[in-house]
Amino acid sequence: MSQANALDNVISFFNPEAGAKRARARLTLDQARRYEGAAGGRRNEGWRTPSTSADAALGPSLQRLRDRSRDLTRNNPFAARAVQVLVNNTVGGGVLGQVNSKSRSRAQRFNQAWETWARNPENCDHDGRSDFWGLQALVFRTVVEAGECLIRKRIDPTSQFPLKLQVLEPDFIDDTRADGLTTDGGYIRQGIEYNTRDQRIAYHLHRQHPGDRVLSIHKYETVRVPADEIISVYRRDRPGQGRGVPWGAPVVSRLRDFDDFSDAQLLKQKISACFTGFVIDSESQDTGGAPPLAESLEPGSIEILPAGKDVRFASPPSVGEFDSFSRAMLLQIAAGYGVTYEALTSDLSNANYSAARMGHLEFSRNVDCWQKQILVSQMLGPVWGWFKQAAEIVGDQPGDVRMQWTPARRELIDPQKEVGAIIEAVRGGLMSLSEAIRRSGYEPGEVMAEIARDAAMLDELGLILDTDPRNVTAAGMLQMEPTQETETNE
């Protein structure tokens, strides 16, 4: 409430009634200016909103959030599906790279070196299990499930190309180390060391995963790794955020509650299905001379009941509200992960073409942001920098080489219209042919070389196909031979 000024005090002294009216008017004005979300009262009485930084809010909850997110991904089908949808749409078959340089020979040499390194798991993966595109999927999956992922640079002098990538879970960061100042004026926070300018200079990592069951003398030992040998990939939600949050954090409780609700509904139906019929005896006296009643029924059977006996069948409880409640819960879960309801549930029964397309376009915008802001900027760019450093080690100077990244091909909703739009963009100069080929998930050099080989084979065999634009127009007509005009000098 705003304080009374000198004029208010004077008026209140000479005319208390007028002063009281001014105070009430000022109080009403303050109420009108206030945000409803910041109001008190019983409505917001239990709403706790501490003014903490990103790391302070995350610190005590990080490990538990990671553990619960992983447990849901292992045991909850919708959590597992959400992670799968995010990875498959954001990474897909992998983001392709094309090396460009003013020197064509240098570009070809580095393209060949990159392809050789990226396609062979023994060259790029420290564990020797995945190629570079498989590592992309593994890193992004860890980011979604655990909140962040670490990539450690390993130099193997015995390998033909010395660079190898070691993918580590965020549990390797020793966040149990006490936060505090360092001798050079910096500080350590959640296992990451910063300098006086708040820049990362080192990571304190466990030698072995702290949750590994294999006992080792190095299990709880930590090692200080310089920051230029570590790539930390995570989604930044707030400025100054040093650690990543699992993407399912907003709906962890809802997923757990919905899982319990589904189990309870299933158990209720199982129990109710066990009670098929009940025998009612209207006569309390049991003479013992009546034949026993059948305990089961068969098709076409006729059972004659003794006098005073009646059979009534149970009416199991309905599940009519289960579908509507489940849809409402799954809509919230899908929104929490940033995916569409149809992608999360594979339920297309209520979706028409227009609604599905609008949802697909909105989801595509999210995917584009994740590809550029997380995959390319945080992972692929730094890895390319390491690759150039490793090239210098083997004596190949990178010079002006630069990498152009193109995400994997995405499925088209209406191929006829969308392919026509791509063709018009290439013909209009809005997109290069190489970029259009990369968006389809292929390498431009390989595609053009294959087209050249096919064209040479067609010419050699004397074949003319309507798919050959050199000889046939888009309308199916033969191309006209160009006329040669001779110029004479008079």
Side-chain angles (χ1 to χ4, degrees):
M1 178 178 176
S2 58
Q3 299 295 328
N5 53 30
L7 179 60
D8 294 329
N9 294 331
V10 172
I11 294 175
S12 298
F13 180 79
F14 291 100
N15 190 345
E17 183 177 357
K21 290 182 179 179
R22 290 176 64 88
R24 286 195 298 269
R26 189 180 299 277
L27 179 61
T28 302
L29 184 60
D30 289 341
Q31 293 292 336
R33 290 174 175 173
R34 182 178 301 174
Y35 281 100
E36 181 181 359
R42 290 182 298 175
R43 184 179 180 184
N44 299 323
E45 184 177 2
W47 194 350
R48 299 179 180 178
T49 55
S51 300
T52 56
S53 65
D55 289 340
L58 182 61
S61 308
L62 181 58
Q63 184 63 47
R64 183 172 296 178
L65 275 177
R66 281 202 304 254
D67 295 341
R68 291 181 176 179
S69 177
R70 289 166 177 162
D71 181 76
L72 287 171
T73 305
R74 288 192 298 263
N75 300 300
N76 188 289
F78 295 106
R81 173 63 179 170
V83 174
Q84 182 185 33
V85 167
L86 289 168
V87 175
N88 290 348
N89 283 271
T90 306
V91 180
V95 180
L96 299 178
Q98 176 71 29
V99 180
N100 296 319
S101 174
K102 294 181 180 179
S103 173
R104 180 175 298 181
S105 61
R106 183 185 293 117
Q108 292 177 351
R109 187 172 66 254
F110 268 84
N111 267 317
Q112 181 63 35
W114 173 262
E115 290 294 324
T116 302
W117 177 80
R119 292 184 182 277
N120 191 345
E122 295 294 335
N123 292 340
C124 64
D125 187 7
H126 179 73
D127 298 330
R129 305 291 298 176
S130 302
D131 58 16
F132 185 63
W133 297 279
L135 293 179
Q136 293 179 24
L138 179 61
V139 168
F140 194 77
R141 177 183 177 86
T142 307
V143 170
V144 174
E145 185 181 48
E148 61 185 317
C149 185
L150 303 179
I151 306 174
R152 185 175 180 181
K153 179 175 67 173
R154 295 288 194 174
I155 300 298
D156 183 6
T158 62
S159 179
Q160 181 179 1
F161 197 83
L163 176 63
K164 293 183 183 294
L165 306 178
Q166 183 182 14
V167 179
L168 302 175
E169 289 188 318
D171 307 73
F172 274 86
I173 298 180
D174 184 14
D175 49 13
T176 61
R177 178 182 292 269
D179 296 348
L181 301 177
T182 58
T183 56
D184 57 356
Y187 59 93
I188 298 176
R189 184 172 60 202
Q190 296 182 350
I192 304 176
E193 187 174 341
Y194 299 84
N195 59 15
T196 55
R197 294 178 295 176
D198 298 328
Q199 296 175 330
R200 302 187 183 200
I201 58 175
Y203 290 81
H204 295 267
L205 304 181
H206 292 285
R207 291 184 178 272
Q208 188 177 348
H209 196 293
D212 200 339
R213 291 187 176 183
V214 178
L215 297 179
S216 172
I217 60 175
H218 303 297
K219 183 173 182 178
Y220 298 106
E221 292 183 2
T222 60
V223 57
R224 184 180 182 274
V225 181
D228 57 0
E229 297 181 7
I230 296 292
I231 297 175
S232 178
V233 185
Y234 62 97
R235 187 184 65 187
R236 296 183 62 188
D237 299 321
R238 294 179 58 182
Q241 179 180 343
R243 304 295 299 274
V245 182
W247 289 24
V251 292
V252 163
S253 298
R254 283 178 172 82
L255 276 166
R256 177 67 174 174
D257 293 340
F258 180 65
D259 200 7
D260 292 342
F261 172 76
S262 301
D263 290 343
Q265 287 289 327
L266 178 59
L267 183 61
K268 181 178 70 173
Q269 294 301 314
K270 289 172 65 175
I271 294 176
S272 63
C274 294
F275 297 97
T276 57
F278 301 90
V279 178
I280 306 298
D281 189 355
S282 59
E283 298 180 358
S284 59
Q285 296 180 358
D286 187 5
T287 60
L293 295 177
E295 297 181 357
S296 62
L297 296 178
E298 298 179 358
S301 63
I302 299 176
E303 182 71 18
I304 300 177
L305 299 178
K309 301 291 186 179
D310 186 18
V311 177
R312 297 179 184 179
F313 292 94
S315 299
S318 64
V319 290
E321 299 180 356
F322 180 76
D323 290 341
S324 59
F325 178 78
S326 298
R327 179 177 175 83
M329 291 294 296
L330 292 173
L331 282 170
Q332 298 179 37
I333 293 171
Y337 275 100
V339 302
T340 62
Y341 168 82
E342 290 77 15
L344 177 67
T345 63
S346 300
D347 179 14
L348 303 176
S349 58
N350 297 324
N352 53 38
Y353 175 79
S354 299
R357 178 173 173 79
M358 291 298 296
H360 178 78
L361 292 177
E362 181 64 27
F363 182 48
S364 297
R365 296 188 187 97
N366 291 342
V367 170
D368 291 339
C369 292
W370 298 328
Q371 289 173 340
K372 295 177 181 178
Q373 298 174 9
I374 299 179
L375 266 183
V376 175
S377 64
Q378 296 189 33
M379 175 186 176
L380 303 182
V383 167
W384 171 244
W386 286 351
F387 185 87
K388 291 191 294 183
Q389 294 175 4
E392 294 179 353
I393 294 177
V394 297
D396 196 350
Q397 296 299 323
D400 64 339
V401 295
R402 60 189 183 279
M403 180 68 80
Q404 182 176 0
W405 304 102
T406 302
R409 177 178 64 90
R410 306 193 61 197
E411 297 297 331
L412 305 179
I413 297 180
D414 192 344
Q416 184 175 2
K417 294 181 179 179
E418 296 185 38
V419 170
I422 294 175
I423 294 175
E424 291 297 327
V426 174
R427 293 177 64 88
L430 302 178
M431 181 191 303
S432 67
L433 178 59
S434 297
E435 177 64 18
I437 295 174
R438 277 193 294 268
R439 290 191 178 186
S440 298
Y442 303 102
E443 176 62 35
E446 297 178 359
V447 173
M448 293 181 184
E450 189 172 355
I451 291 175
R453 290 194 299 269
D454 292 344
M457 187 180 300
L458 292 174
D459 294 341
E460 181 180 354
L461 299 176
L463 299 177
I464 298 178
L465 304 179
D466 59 358
T467 57
D468 189 354
R470 302 174 306 158
N471 300 316
V472 182
T473 65
M477 305 296 293
L478 290 175
Q479 295 278 11
M480 296 181 62
E481 294 291 338
T483 58
Q484 299 291 337
E485 296 183 358
T486 59
E487 296 182 359
T488 58
N489 296 326
E490 296 182 355

